[in-house]
Coordinates of all heavy atoms in Angstrom, one line a residue:
M1 N -10.4 63.2 6.2 CA -11.5 62.6 5.5 C -11.5 61.1 5.8 O -10.6 60.4 5.6 CB -11.4 62.9 4.0 CG -12.4 62.1 3.2 SD -12.3 62.3 1.4 CE -12.0 64.1 1.2
E2 N -12.6 60.6 6.3 CA -12.8 59.2 6.7 C -13.5 58.5 5.5 O -14.6 58.8 5.2 CB -13.6 59.1 7.9 CG -13.8 57.7 8.5 CD -12.5 57.1 9.0 OE1 -11.7 57.8 9.5 OE2 -12.3 55.9 8.7
L3 N -12.7 57.6 4.8 CA -13.3 57.0 3.6 C -14.5 56.1 3.9 O -15.4 55.9 3.1 CB -12.2 56.2 2.9 CG -11.0 57.0 2.3 CD1 -10.0 56.0 1.7 CD2 -11.6 57.9 1.2
L4 N -14.5 55.5 5.1 CA -15.5 54.6 5.5 C -16.9 55.3 5.6 O -17.9 54.7 5.5 CB -15.2 53.8 6.8 CG -14.0 52.9 6.7 CD1 -13.7 52.3 8.1 CD2 -14.2 51.8 5.7
N5 N -16.9 56.6 5.9 CA -18.1 57.3 6.1 C -18.6 57.9 4.8 O -19.7 58.5 4.8 CB -17.9 58.5 7.1 CG -17.5 57.9 8.5 OD1 -17.9 56.8 8.8 ND2 -16.8 58.7 9.2
L6 N -17.9 57.8 3.7 CA -18.4 58.3 2.4 C -19.3 57.4 1.7 O -19.1 56.2 1.7 CB -17.2 58.6 1.5 CG -16.2 59.7 2.0 CD1 -15.0 59.8 1.0 CD2 -16.9 61.0 2.1
S7 N -20.3 57.9 0.9 CA -21.2 57.1 0.2 C -20.5 56.7 -1.1 O -19.4 57.2 -1.5 CB -22.4 57.9 -0.2 OG -22.1 58.9 -1.1
L8 N -21.1 55.8 -1.8 CA -20.5 55.3 -3.1 C -20.3 56.4 -4.1 O -19.3 56.5 -4.7 CB -21.4 54.2 -3.7 CG -20.9 53.6 -5.0 CD1 -19.6 52.9 -4.9 CD2 -21.9 52.6 -5.5
A9 N -21.3 57.3 -4.2 CA -21.2 58.4 -5.1 C -20.1 59.3 -4.7 O -19.3 59.8 -5.6 CB -22.5 59.2 -5.1
E10 N -19.9 59.6 -3.4 CA -18.8 60.4 -3.0 C -17.4 59.8 -3.2 O -16.5 60.5 -3.6 CB -19.0 60.7 -1.5 CG -20.2 61.6 -1.2 CD -20.4 61.7 0.3 OE1 -20.2 60.7 1.1 OE2 -20.9 62.8 0.8
L11 N -17.4 58.5 -3.1 CA -16.1 57.8 -3.3 C -15.8 57.8 -4.8 O -14.6 58.0 -5.2 CB -16.2 56.3 -2.9 CG -16.1 56.1 -1.4 CD1 -16.4 54.6 -1.0 CD2 -14.8 56.5 -0.8
Q12 N -16.8 57.7 -5.7 CA -16.5 57.7 -7.1 C -16.1 59.1 -7.5 O -15.2 59.3 -8.4 CB -17.8 57.3 -7.9 CG -18.0 55.8 -7.8 CD -19.3 55.3 -8.4 OE1 -20.2 56.1 -8.5 NE2 -19.3 54.0 -8.8
A13 N -16.7 60.1 -6.9 CA -16.3 61.5 -7.2 C -14.9 61.8 -6.8 O -14.1 62.4 -7.5 CB -17.3 62.5 -6.6
L14 N -14.5 61.2 -5.6 CA -13.2 61.4 -5.1 C -12.2 60.7 -6.0 O -11.1 61.2 -6.3 CB -13.1 60.8 -3.7 CG -11.7 60.9 -3.0 CD1 -11.2 62.3 -2.9 CD2 -11.8 60.2 -1.6
L15 N -12.6 59.5 -6.5 CA -11.7 58.7 -7.4 C -11.5 59.5 -8.7 O -10.4 59.6 -9.2 CB -12.4 57.4 -7.7 CG -11.6 56.5 -8.7 CD1 -10.2 56.1 -8.2 CD2 -12.4 55.3 -9.1
N16 N -12.5 60.1 -9.2 CA -12.4 60.9 -10.5 C -11.5 62.1 -10.3 O -10.7 62.4 -11.1 CB -13.8 61.3 -11.0 CG -14.6 60.2 -11.5 OD1 -14.1 59.2 -11.9 ND2 -15.9 60.4 -11.5
T17 N -11.6 62.7 -9.1 CA -10.8 63.9 -8.8 C -9.3 63.5 -8.7 O -8.4 64.1 -9.2 CB -11.3 64.5 -7.5 OG1 -12.6 64.9 -7.6 CG2 -10.4 65.8 -7.1
V18 N -9.1 62.3 -8.0 CA -7.7 61.9 -7.8 C -7.1 61.5 -9.2 O -6.0 61.8 -9.5 CB -7.7 60.7 -6.8 CG1 -6.3 60.0 -6.9 CG2 -8.0 61.1 -5.4
Q19 N -7.9 60.8 -10.0 CA -7.4 60.4 -11.3 C -7.0 61.6 -12.2 O -6.0 61.7 -12.9 CB -8.4 59.5 -12.1 CG -8.4 58.1 -11.5 CD -9.5 57.2 -12.1 OE1 -10.5 57.7 -12.6 NE2 -9.3 55.9 -12.0
A20 N -7.9 62.6 -12.1 CA -7.6 63.9 -12.9 C -6.4 64.6 -12.4 O -5.6 65.1 -13.2 CB -8.8 64.8 -12.8
E21 N -6.2 64.6 -11.1 CA -5.0 65.2 -10.5 C -3.7 64.5 -10.9 O -2.7 65.1 -11.2 CB -5.1 65.3 -9.0 CG -4.0 66.1 -8.3 CD -3.8 67.5 -8.7 OE1 -4.8 68.2 -9.2 OE2 -2.7 68.0 -8.6
I22 N -3.8 63.1 -10.9 CA -2.7 62.3 -11.3 C -2.3 62.6 -12.7 O -1.1 62.8 -13.0 CB -3.0 60.8 -11.1 CG1 -3.0 60.5 -9.6 CG2 -2.0 60.0 -11.8 CD1 -3.5 59.1 -9.3
K23 N -3.3 62.7 -13.6 CA -3.0 63.0 -15.0 C -2.4 64.4 -15.2 O -1.4 64.5 -15.9 CB -4.3 62.9 -15.8 CG -4.1 62.9 -17.3 CD -5.4 62.6 -18.0 CE -5.2 62.4 -19.5 NZ -6.3 62.0 -20.2
H24 N -2.9 65.3 -14.4 CA -2.4 66.7 -14.5 C -0.9 66.7 -14.0 O -0.1 67.4 -14.6 CB -3.2 67.6 -13.6 CG -2.7 69.0 -13.5 ND1 -2.7 69.9 -14.5 CD2 -2.1 69.6 -12.4 CE1 -2.2 71.0 -14.1 NE2 -1.8 70.9 -12.8
R25 N -0.6 66.1 -12.9 CA 0.8 66.1 -12.4 C 1.7 65.3 -13.3 O 2.9 65.7 -13.5 CB 0.8 65.5 -11.0 CG 0.1 66.4 -10.0 CD 0.4 66.0 -8.6 NE -0.4 66.7 -7.6 CZ -0.3 66.6 -6.3 NH1 0.6 65.8 -5.8 NH2 -1.1 67.4 -5.6
E26 N 1.3 64.2 -13.9 CA 2.1 63.5 -14.9 C 2.5 64.4 -16.0 O 3.6 64.4 -16.5 CB 1.4 62.2 -15.4 CG 1.4 61.1 -14.4 CD 0.6 59.9 -14.9 OE1 -0.2 60.0 -15.9 OE2 0.8 58.8 -14.3
T27 N 1.5 65.1 -16.5 CA 1.7 66.1 -17.7 C 2.8 67.1 -17.3 O 3.7 67.4 -18.0 CB 0.4 66.7 -18.1 OG1 -0.5 65.7 -18.5 CG2 0.6 67.6 -19.3
E28 N 2.6 67.7 -16.1 CA 3.5 68.7 -15.6 C 5.0 68.1 -15.4 O 5.9 68.8 -15.8 CB 3.1 69.2 -14.2 CG 2.1 70.3 -14.3 CD 1.8 70.9 -12.9 OE1 2.2 70.4 -11.9 OE2 1.1 71.9 -12.8
E29 N 5.1 66.9 -14.8 CA 6.4 66.3 -14.6 C 7.1 66.0 -15.9 O 8.3 66.2 -16.1 CB 6.3 65.1 -13.7 CG 6.0 65.5 -12.3 CD 6.2 64.3 -11.3 OE1 6.8 63.3 -11.7 OE2 5.7 64.5 -10.2
K30 N 6.3 65.5 -16.9 CA 6.9 65.2 -18.2 C 7.4 66.5 -18.9 O 8.4 66.5 -19.5 CB 5.9 64.5 -19.1 CG 5.6 63.1 -18.7 CD 4.6 62.4 -19.6 CE 4.3 61.0 -19.2 NZ 3.3 60.4 -20.0
A31 N 6.6 67.6 -18.8 CA 7.0 68.8 -19.4 C 8.3 69.4 -18.7 O 9.2 69.8 -19.4 CB 5.9 69.9 -19.2
N32 N 8.4 69.2 -17.4 CA 9.6 69.7 -16.7 C 10.8 68.8 -17.0 O 11.9 69.3 -17.2 CB 9.4 69.6 -15.1 CG 8.5 70.7 -14.7 OD1 8.3 71.8 -15.3 ND2 7.8 70.5 -13.5
A33 N 10.6 67.5 -17.2 CA 11.7 66.6 -17.6 C 12.2 67.0 -19.0 O 13.4 67.0 -19.2 CB 11.2 65.2 -17.5
K34 N 11.2 67.2 -19.9 CA 11.6 67.6 -21.2 C 12.4 68.8 -21.3 O 13.4 68.9 -21.9 CB 10.3 67.7 -22.1 CG 10.6 68.0 -23.5 CD 9.3 68.1 -24.3 CE 9.5 68.6 -25.7 NZ 8.2 68.7 -26.4
K35 N 12.0 69.8 -20.5 CA 12.7 71.1 -20.4 C 14.1 70.9 -19.8 O 15.1 71.4 -20.4 CB 11.9 72.1 -19.5 CG 12.5 73.4 -19.3 CD 11.7 74.3 -18.4 CE 12.4 75.7 -18.2 NZ 11.7 76.5 -17.3
Q36 N 14.3 70.1 -18.8 CA 15.6 69.8 -18.2 C 16.5 69.1 -19.2 O 17.7 69.4 -19.3 CB 15.5 68.9 -17.0 CG 14.9 69.7 -15.8 CD 14.7 68.8 -14.6 OE1 14.7 67.6 -14.7 NE2 14.4 69.4 -13.4
I37 N 15.9 68.1 -20.0 CA 16.7 67.4 -21.0 C 17.2 68.3 -22.0 O 18.4 68.2 -22.5 CB 15.9 66.2 -21.5 CG1 15.7 65.1 -20.5 CG2 16.5 65.6 -22.8 CD1 14.6 64.1 -20.8
L38 N 16.3 69.2 -22.5 CA 16.7 70.1 -23.6 C 17.8 71.1 -23.1 O 18.7 71.4 -23.8 CB 15.5 70.8 -24.1 CG 14.5 70.0 -24.9 CD1 13.2 70.8 -25.3 CD2 15.1 69.5 -26.2
E39 N 17.6 71.5 -21.9 CA 18.6 72.4 -21.3 C 20.0 71.7 -21.1 O 21.0 72.3 -21.4 CB 18.2 73.0 -19.9 CG 17.1 74.0 -20.1 CD 16.5 74.5 -18.7 OE1 17.0 73.9 -17.7 OE2 15.6 75.3 -18.7
L40 N 20.0 70.5 -20.7 CA 21.2 69.7 -20.5 C 21.9 69.5 -21.9 O 23.1 69.7 -22.0 CB 20.9 68.4 -19.9 CG 22.1 67.5 -19.6 CD1 23.1 68.2 -18.6 CD2 21.7 66.2 -19.0
A41 N 21.1 69.1 -22.9 CA 21.6 68.9 -24.2 C 22.2 70.2 -24.8 O 23.3 70.2 -25.3 CB 20.6 68.4 -25.2
K42 N 21.5 71.3 -24.6 CA 22.0 72.6 -25.0 C 23.3 73.0 -24.3 O 24.2 73.5 -25.0 CB 20.9 73.7 -24.8 CG 21.3 75.0 -25.4 CD 20.1 76.0 -25.1 CE 20.5 77.4 -25.6 NZ 19.4 78.4 -25.4
S43 N 23.4 72.7 -23.1 CA 24.7 73.0 -22.3 C 25.9 72.2 -22.9 O 27.0 72.7 -22.7 CB 24.5 72.8 -20.8 OG 24.5 71.4 -20.5
Y44 N 25.6 71.1 -23.5 CA 26.7 70.3 -24.1 C 26.8 70.6 -25.6 O 27.6 69.9 -26.3 CB 26.5 68.8 -23.9 CG 26.8 68.4 -22.5 CD1 25.9 68.3 -21.5 CD2 28.2 68.1 -22.1 CE1 26.2 67.9 -20.2 CE2 28.5 67.7 -20.8 CZ 27.5 67.6 -19.9 OH 27.9 67.2 -18.6
G45 N 26.1 71.5 -26.1 CA 26.1 71.9 -27.5 C 25.5 70.9 -28.4 O 25.8 70.8 -29.6
L46 N 24.5 70.2 -27.9 CA 23.8 69.2 -28.7 C 22.5 69.7 -29.2 O 21.8 70.4 -28.4 CB 23.6 67.9 -27.9 CG 24.9 67.1 -27.5 CD1 24.5 66.0 -26.5 CD2 25.6 66.6 -28.7
S47 N 22.1 69.4 -30.4 CA 20.8 69.7 -30.9 C 19.8 68.6 -30.5 O 20.2 67.5 -30.1 CB 20.8 69.9 -32.4 OG 21.0 68.7 -33.1
L48 N 18.5 68.8 -30.7 CA 17.6 67.7 -30.5 C 17.8 66.5 -31.4 O 17.7 65.4 -31.0 CB 16.1 68.3 -30.7 CG 15.0 67.4 -30.4 CD1 15.1 66.9 -28.9 CD2 13.7 68.0 -30.6
D49 N 18.2 66.8 -32.7 CA 18.5 65.8 -33.6 C 19.7 64.9 -33.1 O 19.7 63.7 -33.3 CB 18.8 66.3 -35.0 CG 17.5 66.8 -35.7 OD1 16.4 66.4 -35.3 OD2 17.6 67.7 -36.5
D50 N 20.7 65.6 -32.6 CA 21.9 64.9 -32.1 C 21.5 63.9 -30.9 O 22.0 62.8 -30.9 CB 22.9 65.9 -31.5 CG 23.5 66.7 -32.6 OD1 23.6 66.3 -33.7 OD2 24.0 67.8 -32.2
V51 N 20.6 64.4 -30.1 CA 20.2 63.6 -28.9 C 19.3 62.4 -29.4 O 19.5 61.3 -28.9 CB 19.4 64.4 -27.9 CG1 18.8 63.6 -26.8 CG2 20.3 65.5 -27.3
L52 N 18.5 62.6 -30.4 CA 17.6 61.6 -30.8 C 18.1 60.6 -31.8 O 17.5 59.5 -32.0 CB 16.2 62.2 -31.3 CG 15.5 63.0 -30.2 CD1 14.2 63.6 -30.9 CD2 15.1 62.1 -29.0
S53 N 19.2 61.0 -32.5 CA 19.7 60.1 -33.6 C 20.4 58.9 -32.9 O 21.0 59.0 -31.9 CB 20.7 60.9 -34.4 OG 21.9 61.2 -33.7
K54 N 20.3 57.8 -33.6 CA 20.9 56.6 -33.2 C 22.4 56.7 -33.5 O 22.8 57.1 -34.6 CB 20.3 55.4 -33.8 CG 18.9 55.1 -33.4 CD 18.4 53.8 -33.9 CE 17.0 53.6 -33.4 NZ 16.4 52.3 -33.9
A55 N 23.2 56.2 -32.5 CA 24.6 56.2 -32.8 C 24.9 55.1 -33.9 O 24.3 54.1 -34.0 CB 25.4 55.8 -31.5
T56 N 25.9 55.4 -34.7 CA 26.3 54.5 -35.7 C 27.0 53.3 -35.0 O 27.8 53.4 -34.1 CB 27.3 55.1 -36.7 OG1 28.4 55.6 -36.0 CG2 26.6 56.2 -37.5
V57 N 26.5 52.1 -35.5 CA 27.1 50.9 -34.9 C 28.0 50.3 -35.9 O 27.7 50.1 -37.1 CB 25.9 49.9 -34.6 CG1 26.4 48.6 -34.1 CG2 24.9 50.5 -33.7
A58 N 29.2 50.0 -35.4 CA 30.2 49.4 -36.3 C 29.8 48.0 -36.6 O 29.4 47.2 -35.7 CB 31.6 49.4 -35.6
V59 N 29.7 47.7 -37.9 CA 29.3 46.3 -38.3 C 30.6 45.5 -38.4 O 31.5 45.8 -39.1 CB 28.6 46.4 -39.7 CG1 28.2 45.0 -40.2 CG2 27.4 47.3 -39.6
R60 N 30.5 44.4 -37.7 CA 31.7 43.5 -37.7 C 31.4 42.4 -38.8 O 30.4 41.8 -38.9 CB 31.9 42.8 -36.4 CG 32.2 43.7 -35.3 CD 32.4 42.9 -34.0 NE 32.7 43.8 -32.9 CZ 33.0 43.4 -31.7 NH1 33.1 42.1 -31.4 NH2 33.2 44.3 -30.7
K61 N 32.5 42.2 -39.6 CA 32.3 41.1 -40.6 C 32.7 39.8 -39.9 O 33.6 39.8 -39.0 CB 33.1 41.4 -41.8 CG 34.6 41.4 -41.7 CD 35.3 41.6 -43.0 CE 36.8 41.4 -42.8 NZ 37.5 41.4 -44.1
P62 N 32.2 38.8 -40.4 CA 32.5 37.5 -39.7 C 34.0 37.1 -40.0 O 34.6 37.5 -41.0 CB 31.6 36.5 -40.5 CG 30.6 37.3 -41.2 CD 31.2 38.6 -41.4
V63 N 34.6 36.5 -39.0 CA 36.0 36.1 -39.1 C 36.0 34.8 -39.9 O 35.2 33.9 -39.7 CB 36.5 35.8 -37.7 CG1 38.0 35.3 -37.7 CG2 36.4 37.1 -36.8
E64 N 37.0 34.7 -40.8 CA 37.1 33.5 -41.6 C 37.7 32.4 -40.8 O 38.5 32.5 -39.9 CB 38.1 33.8 -42.8 CG 37.5 34.8 -43.8 CD 38.5 34.9 -45.0 OE1 39.2 34.0 -45.3 OE2 38.4 36.0 -45.6
A65 N 37.2 31.2 -41.2 CA 37.7 30.0 -40.5 C 39.1 29.7 -40.8 O 39.6 30.0 -41.9 CB 36.8 28.8 -40.9
K66 N 39.9 29.2 -39.8 CA 41.3 28.9 -40.0 C 41.6 27.4 -39.9 O 42.6 26.9 -40.4 CB 42.1 29.6 -38.9 CG 42.1 31.1 -38.9 CD 43.0 31.7 -37.8 CE 43.0 33.2 -37.9 NZ 43.8 33.8 -36.8
Y67 N 40.6 26.7 -39.3 CA 40.8 25.2 -39.2 C 39.5 24.5 -39.6 O 38.4 25.0 -39.5 CB 41.1 24.9 -37.7 CG 42.2 25.7 -37.1 CD1 42.0 26.8 -36.3 CD2 43.5 25.4 -37.4 CE1 43.0 27.6 -35.8 CE2 44.6 26.1 -36.9 CZ 44.3 27.2 -36.1 OH 45.4 27.9 -35.6
K68 N 39.7 23.3 -40.2 CA 38.6 22.5 -40.5 C 38.8 21.0 -40.1 O 40.0 20.6 -40.0 CB 38.3 22.5 -42.0 CG 39.4 21.9 -42.9 CD 39.0 22.0 -44.4 CE 40.2 21.4 -45.2 NZ 40.0 21.6 -46.6
N69 N 37.7 20.4 -39.9 CA 37.8 19.0 -39.5 C 38.1 18.1 -40.7 O 37.3 18.1 -41.7 CB 36.4 18.6 -38.9 CG 36.4 17.2 -38.3 OD1 37.3 16.4 -38.5 ND2 35.4 16.9 -37.5
P70 N 39.2 17.3 -40.7 CA 39.5 16.5 -41.9 C 38.5 15.4 -42.1 O 38.3 14.9 -43.2 CB 40.9 15.9 -41.5 CG 41.0 16.1 -40.1 CD 40.2 17.2 -39.6
N71 N 37.7 15.0 -41.1 CA 36.7 14.0 -41.2 C 35.3 14.5 -41.7 O 34.5 13.8 -42.2 CB 36.5 13.2 -39.9 CG 37.8 12.6 -39.4 OD1 38.6 12.2 -40.3 ND2 38.0 12.6 -38.1
D72 N 35.1 15.8 -41.4 CA 33.8 16.5 -41.8 C 34.1 17.9 -42.2 O 34.2 18.8 -41.3 CB 32.8 16.4 -40.7 CG 31.5 17.0 -41.0 OD1 31.3 17.5 -42.2 OD2 30.6 17.0 -40.2
E73 N 34.3 18.2 -43.4 CA 34.8 19.6 -43.8 C 33.7 20.7 -43.6 O 34.0 21.8 -43.8 CB 35.3 19.6 -45.3 CG 36.5 18.7 -45.4 CD 37.2 18.9 -46.7 OE1 36.8 19.8 -47.5 OE2 38.2 18.2 -46.9
S74 N 32.5 20.3 -43.2 CA 31.5 21.3 -42.9 C 31.8 21.9 -41.5 O 31.3 23.0 -41.2 CB 30.1 20.7 -42.9 OG 29.9 19.8 -41.9
Q75 N 32.6 21.2 -40.7 CA 32.9 21.7 -39.4 C 34.2 22.5 -39.5 O 35.3 22.0 -39.8 CB 33.1 20.6 -38.4 CG 31.9 19.8 -38.1 CD 32.1 18.7 -37.1 OE1 33.1 18.0 -37.2 NE2 31.2 18.5 -36.2
T76 N 34.1 23.8 -39.1 CA 35.3 24.7 -39.1 C 35.3 25.5 -37.8 O 34.4 25.5 -37.0 CB 35.1 25.7 -40.3 OG1 34.0 26.5 -40.1 CG2 35.1 25.0 -41.6
W77 N 36.5 26.1 -37.6 CA 36.7 26.9 -36.4 C 37.6 28.1 -36.8 O 38.6 27.9 -37.6 CB 37.4 26.0 -35.3 CG 37.7 26.7 -34.0 CD1 36.8 27.5 -33.3 CD2 38.9 26.6 -33.3 NE1 37.4 27.9 -32.2 CE2 38.7 27.4 -32.1 CE3 40.1 26.0 -33.5 CZ2 39.7 27.6 -31.2 CZ3 41.1 26.1 -32.5 CH2 40.9 26.9 -31.4
T78 N 37.3 29.2 -36.2 CA 38.1 30.4 -36.5 C 39.4 30.5 -35.7 O 40.2 31.3 -36.0 CB 37.3 31.7 -36.2 OG1 37.0 31.7 -34.8 CG2 36.0 31.7 -37.0
G79 N 39.5 29.7 -34.7 CA 40.7 29.8 -33.8 C 40.4 30.7 -32.6 O 41.3 30.9 -31.8
R80 N 39.2 31.2 -32.6 CA 38.9 32.1 -31.5 C 37.9 31.4 -30.5 O 37.1 30.6 -30.9 CB 38.2 33.4 -32.0 CG 39.1 34.3 -32.8 CD 38.4 35.5 -33.2 NE 39.3 36.4 -34.0 CZ 39.0 37.6 -34.4 NH1 37.8 38.0 -34.2 NH2 39.8 38.3 -35.1
G81 N 38.0 31.8 -29.3 CA 37.1 31.2 -28.3 C 37.5 29.8 -27.9 O 38.6 29.3 -28.2
R82 N 36.6 29.1 -27.3 CA 36.8 27.8 -26.8 C 36.9 26.8 -28.0 O 36.2 26.9 -29.0 CB 35.6 27.4 -25.9 CG 35.7 26.1 -25.2 CD 34.6 25.9 -24.3 NE 34.7 24.6 -23.7 CZ 33.8 24.0 -22.9 NH1 32.7 24.7 -22.7 NH2 34.0 22.9 -22.4
K83 N 37.8 25.8 -27.9 CA 38.0 24.9 -28.9 C 36.8 24.0 -29.0 O 36.3 23.5 -28.0 CB 39.2 24.0 -28.6 CG 40.5 24.6 -28.7 CD 41.6 23.7 -28.3 CE 42.9 24.4 -28.2 NZ 43.8 23.9 -27.1
P84 N 36.3 23.8 -30.3 CA 35.2 22.8 -30.4 C 35.6 21.4 -30.1 O 36.8 21.1 -30.1 CB 34.9 22.9 -31.9 CG 35.5 24.2 -32.4 CD 36.7 24.4 -31.5
A85 N 34.7 20.6 -29.8 CA 34.9 19.2 -29.4 C 35.7 18.4 -30.4 O 36.6 17.7 -30.1 CB 33.6 18.5 -29.0
W86 N 35.4 18.7 -31.7 CA 36.1 18.0 -32.8 C 37.6 18.4 -32.8 O 38.5 17.5 -33.1 CB 35.4 18.1 -34.1 CG 35.4 19.5 -34.7 CD1 34.4 20.4 -34.6 CD2 36.5 20.1 -35.5 NE1 34.8 21.6 -35.2 CE2 36.0 21.4 -35.8 CE3 37.7 19.7 -35.9 CZ2 36.8 22.3 -36.5 CZ3 38.5 20.6 -36.6 CH2 38.0 21.9 -36.9
V87 N 37.9 19.6 -32.5 CA 39.3 20.1 -32.5 C 40.0 19.4 -31.4 O 41.1 18.8 -31.5 CB 39.4 21.6 -32.3 CG1 40.9 22.0 -32.1 CG2 38.8 22.3 -33.6
Q88 N 39.4 19.4 -30.2 CA 40.1 18.7 -29.0 C 40.3 17.2 -29.3 O 41.3 16.7 -28.9 CB 39.2 19.0 -27.8 CG 40.0 18.6 -26.5 CD 41.3 19.3 -26.3 OE1 41.3 20.5 -26.3 NE2 42.3 18.6 -26.1
A89 N 39.3 16.6 -29.9 CA 39.4 15.2 -30.2 C 40.6 14.9 -31.2 O 41.3 14.0 -31.0 CB 38.1 14.6 -30.8
Q90 N 40.7 15.8 -32.2 CA 41.9 15.6 -33.1 C 43.2 15.8 -32.4 O 44.2 15.1 -32.7 CB 41.7 16.6 -34.3 CG 40.5 16.4 -35.2 CD 40.7 15.1 -36.0 OE1 41.8 14.7 -36.4 NE2 39.6 14.4 -36.2
L91 N 43.3 16.8 -31.5 CA 44.5 17.1 -30.8 C 44.8 15.9 -29.9 O 46.0 15.5 -29.7 CB 44.4 18.4 -30.0 CG 44.2 19.7 -30.8 CD1 44.0 20.9 -29.8 CD2 45.5 19.9 -31.6
D92 N 43.8 15.3 -29.3 CA 44.0 14.2 -28.4 C 44.5 12.9 -29.2 O 45.2 12.1 -28.6 CB 42.7 13.8 -27.7 CG 42.3 14.8 -26.6 OD1 43.1 15.7 -26.3 OD2 41.1 14.8 -26.2
E93 N 44.2 12.9 -30.5 CA 44.6 11.8 -31.3 C 46.0 12.0 -31.9 O 46.6 11.2 -32.6 CB 43.7 11.6 -32.5 CG 42.3 11.0 -32.1 CD 41.4 10.8 -33.3 OE1 41.8 10.8 -34.4 OE2 40.2 10.7 -33.0
G94 N 46.6 13.2 -31.5 CA 48.0 13.4 -31.9 C 48.2 14.4 -33.0 O 49.3 14.7 -33.4
F95 N 47.1 14.9 -33.6 CA 47.2 16.0 -34.6 C 47.6 17.3 -33.9 O 47.4 17.5 -32.8 CB 45.8 16.2 -35.3 CG 45.4 15.0 -36.2 CD1 44.7 14.0 -35.8 CD2 45.8 15.1 -37.5 CE1 44.3 12.9 -36.6 CE2 45.4 14.0 -38.4 CZ 44.7 13.0 -37.9
S96 N 48.1 18.2 -34.7 CA 48.4 19.5 -34.3 C 47.5 20.5 -34.9 O 46.8 20.1 -35.9 CB 49.9 19.9 -34.6 OG 50.1 20.1 -36.0
L97 N 47.4 21.7 -34.4 CA 46.6 22.7 -35.1 C 47.0 23.0 -36.5 O 46.2 23.2 -37.4 CB 46.6 24.0 -34.3 CG 45.7 24.0 -33.0 CD1 45.8 25.4 -32.3 CD2 44.2 23.8 -33.3
E98 N 48.3 22.9 -36.8 CA 48.8 23.1 -38.1 C 48.3 22.0 -39.1 O 48.0 22.3 -40.2 CB 50.4 23.1 -38.1 CG 51.0 24.3 -37.5 CD 51.0 24.1 -35.9 OE1 51.0 23.0 -35.4 OE2 51.0 25.2 -35.3
D99 N 48.1 20.8 -38.6 CA 47.5 19.7 -39.4 C 46.0 20.0 -39.8 O 45.5 19.6 -40.8 CB 47.5 18.4 -38.6 CG 48.9 17.9 -38.4 OD1 49.8 18.3 -39.2 OD2 49.1 17.2 -37.4
L100 N 45.3 20.8 -38.9 CA 43.9 21.1 -39.2 C 43.8 22.5 -39.9 O 42.6 22.8 -40.3 CB 43.2 21.2 -37.8 CG 43.3 20.0 -36.9 CD1 42.6 20.3 -35.6 CD2 42.6 18.8 -37.6
A101 N 44.8 23.2 -40.2 CA 44.8 24.5 -40.8 C 44.2 24.4 -42.2 O 44.4 23.4 -42.9 CB 46.1 25.2 -40.9
I102 N 43.4 25.4 -42.6 CA 42.8 25.4 -44.0 C 43.9 25.8 -44.9 O 44.6 26.7 -44.7 CB 41.6 26.3 -44.0 CG1 40.5 25.7 -43.1 CG2 41.1 26.5 -45.4 CD1 39.3 26.6 -43.0

């Protein structure tokens, strides 16, 4: 089929036919995918609810601060991760971590 030789009406009809076929194939592929997913879940002994339920997420409670800035008690550090600048400044001045302990 040579597209350049088709009239506008023929091109629009062809477009409608193509769009309808795309929609039909998408519906078929989704149905097949759903069937495969359900079969796979069944083979592992899972129900549809098991597959769709959200996994429980462990809630972590915040870690308590172990150190505080003697110059500004609103600044604290848990002792985890990178040392804050105020901790490093205190250590550079000769303080130890034990001096900063809460």
Side-chain angles (χ1 to χ4, degrees):
M1 173 182 314
E2 184 66 37
L3 293 177
L4 296 176
N5 295 334
L6 296 177
S7 69
L8 179 60
E10 291 171 327
L11 286 172
Q12 288 175 334
L14 179 60
L15 177 63
N16 291 337
T17 302
V18 169
Q19 288 175 335
E21 184 61 26
I22 288 173
K23 190 171 186 176
H24 173 73
R25 289 190 189 188
E26 283 177 344
T27 302
E28 277 185 352
E29 286 192 19
K30 286 179 183 179
N32 287 336
K34 182 179 176 182
K35 182 179 176 185
Q36 289 175 348
I37 291 167
L38 291 173
E39 287 174 0
L40 182 62
K42 186 177 178 182
S43 72
Y44 283 97
L46 298 171
S47 70
L48 185 59
D49 290 335
D50 293 334
V51 173
L52 297 178
S53 68
K54 291 185 178 182
T56 57
V57 177
V59 177
R60 295 183 185 185
K61 68 176 186 173
V63 178
E64 291 186 29
K66 294 182 182 178
Y67 307 99
K68 67 179 174 183
N69 185 346
N71 301 326
D72 181 0
E73 295 196 2
S74 68
Q75 292 179 322
T76 60
W77 180 46
T78 64
R80 294 184 179 181
R82 187 174 178 188
K83 289 179 191 144
W86 66 265
V87 171
Q88 191 59 52
Q90 294 291 326
L91 295 175
D92 292 345
E93 290 180 19
F95 289 91
S96 68
L97 281 179
E98 290 78 29
D99 296 331
L100 303 175
I102 296 178

